[in-house]
Amino acid sequence: MTKSISSKNNTYFTTSNVPSKSPHAKTLFCIAHDLPPLREPIAIRAKKLLGQFQKHWEIHILTGTENGYLNEAASVEFVKSWYPKRLIEFIGKLKLDKLLMFLIWPDSKIFWFIPALIKGYQLIKRQNCSAIFVFMMPYSAGLVGIALKWLTGLPLVLSLDDSLSCTDMHPVSASWLHHQLERWLENFYVRQADAIVYVSQFNLELVKKRQPQSQQSKFHLIRCGADPLDFSTPVDSVVSESFKIVYTGGMNGWYDFYHRPEEHTLPKKLYRAWMKLGSYERIKIDYRSSSPIFIGKAAQQAMSQNPNWENKIHVKIYGNSFPESVVQKVLQNQNLTDVVSVFGALPHSQAIQNARQADLLLITLPNRTDGSSGGRISCKTYEYLMSDRPILAAVPKGENWDYLKDKPGVWLVEPTDTEAMAQVIAQVAAAKFSGSPLTFDRTALQQELSYINLVENYFQILDKVCSNSTVTN
């Protein structure tokens, strides 16, 4: 396990938009398919880390994000995918999506591979780079990095967001053959890279134990983090008589509550059976448990047990990507329209501010029905811990649970245990309504979680692979 190294020259909440670098800085070629203005966690993480990379490296970025942007000091080159949109849409209209699941592999960004490879090779030759660094996902970006390593001989560092072996994120493969190909591909990444970074200790160990001794030293753990600047501005102190539970990010499980029993018609059942035909289920995930239904029921229970709180507890979900019609039907089916409010995606900075103003922050991940441990750890875990807000973590046993179990101000419950959730809500709400809202000092954690410090681990890895490289610029 790689431990975070704090820079003695950095203090909490001290950084700059365009960090200074050594006049003798080497050049790093970075592949980051997703960049802002995209709002996905991988895009935000890439932006934060690459901004810190500029302290020691001249960076050139290849991206598949149109209008992708880092800052004024960064060179960003957009490459358009050769994705056959009309053909894919035509196949979709024929209801043959099943064929696409079998044929498009490892992900839809595979159509970016050839144009990215051509442009990447041209840029590397022109820029005299020292190393290649790849943010993954998408997994196809890793293939671009490997091909560029073969063509240029430069050392390669792969940084995985979600492991292909993570059964929380990838519980089902298109077929048994695809499952075997996914295992092969992740092993291939390891053996072709000079170093590979995981955000999960569980998933790292899962893949590492499949490798021969000669590959063991390539593995590094660098967890996700948070940017201190996002938490440096004062929070508006709004006095409210209500109690607000906040969740930032998309939720799943909507369609599990969408249809009433009488709506499960034979044609719909046959179509679902067709879509599942031939698929290989690595583990069964209960996506209902990562919906707002259980926390909504728990909020209702807490209010029913405390009549003076009637209509005062509200659940706010920010970052929904599902159709509004689906969301509203589910909330109506479950009688939660007065308790749960769902909003679309927000700028990252606004989502952070909403979280900092919450009375209780919610993390929820779907249950593994067999009770086994998983390796998924939510990115919002780290951002929540940068605040002083109470945290209710409705997560299954596994890495997220283990990571949070000794953190201050965190209550851990099973994802569907509404009774336990209601007890936590009642405890935290009682403190607020009595005039003494709960807050927690997590200053010691904030240095550990800061991108300013996490990036030092990346510097060590890059310095090592470059010193071992036989390529001369």
Side-chain angles (χ1 to χ4, degrees), residues 113-345:
F113 175 82
I114 294 177
L117 178 61
I118 294 170
K119 177 58 70 172
Y121 182 72
Q122 293 171 347
L123 293 173
I124 288 174
K125 285 302 183 183
R126 192 161 69 233
Q127 295 158 355
N128 199 27
C129 299
S130 299
I132 301 168
F133 184 92
V134 184
F135 281 103
M136 296 163 61
M137 302 165 46
Y139 298 116
S140 298
L143 296 176
V144 177
I146 290 170
L148 287 174
K149 176 185 176 178
W150 288 351
L151 292 173
T152 64
L154 292 175
L156 171 67
V157 177
L158 300 177
S159 183
L160 282 157
D161 189 41
D162 293 321
S163 163
L164 276 160
S165 296
C166 179
T167 50
D168 294 297
M169 295 302 297
H170 308 291
V172 179
S173 298
S175 69
W176 178 85
L177 175 60
H178 285 79
H179 167 63
Q180 296 301 319
L181 285 172
E182 287 157 7
R183 284 174 59 91
W184 173 86
L185 182 59
E186 190 159 14
N187 293 340
F188 180 67
Y189 287 146
V190 172
R191 299 185 190 198
Q192 295 301 316
D194 294 88
I196 188 163
V197 178
Y198 282 78
V199 298
S200 160
Q201 181 75 54
F202 183 96
N203 291 328
L204 182 154
E205 296 296 341
L206 194 67
V207 180
K208 187 176 181 179
K209 68 182 181 183
R210 300 202 303 253
Q211 311 306 319
Q213 188 61 39
S214 60
Q215 305 296 316
Q216 300 289 308
S217 62
K218 292 182 178 181
F219 288 84
H220 302 269
L221 175 70
I222 305 179
R223 296 190 182 279
C224 296
D227 187 348
L229 278 179
D230 291 335
F231 298 83
S232 62
T233 56
V235 179
D236 294 335
S237 54
V238 179
V239 179
S240 173
E241 294 184 358
S242 66
F243 183 85
K244 186 166 64 174
I245 303 169
V246 170
Y247 176 93
T248 60
M251 281 189 162
N252 292 309
W254 292 103
Y255 286 106
D256 291 283
F257 295 97
Y258 183 69
H259 294 291
R260 296 182 183 276
E262 63 271 16
E263 296 175 325
H264 292 280
T265 61
L266 180 60
K268 290 179 179 178
K269 290 179 180 178
L270 290 174
Y271 182 72
R272 283 197 297 271
W274 156 247
M275 292 302 292
K276 292 181 179 180
L277 182 65
S279 63
Y280 181 81
E281 189 173 63
R282 301 164 66 191
I283 193 168
K284 189 169 182 60
I285 299 291
D286 180 10
Y287 288 107
R288 299 177 316 125
S289 53
S290 61
S291 74
I293 303 306
F294 296 97
I295 187 67
K297 298 290 186 183
Q300 288 178 329
Q301 184 175 329
M303 286 187 287
S304 68
Q305 293 171 351
N306 298 273
N308 292 336
W309 299 352
E310 184 178 0
N311 298 324
K312 289 187 177 182
I313 299 178
H314 302 281
V315 180
K316 308 284 186 180
I317 312 297
Y318 299 97
N320 173 64
S321 59
F322 286 82
E324 185 178 352
S325 59
V326 173
V327 170
Q328 291 307 313
K329 182 176 179 180
V330 169
L331 295 181
Q332 290 169 5
N333 287 347
Q334 299 296 319
N335 298 314
L336 290 172
T337 53
D338 294 337
V339 179
V340 178
S341 300
V342 180
F343 307 91

Side-chain angles (χ1 to χ4, degrees), residues 2 8 28 113 141 208 228 243 357:
T2 304
K8 295 180 180 178
L28 181 66
F113 175 82
K208 187 176 181 179
F243 183 85
Q357 294 173 319

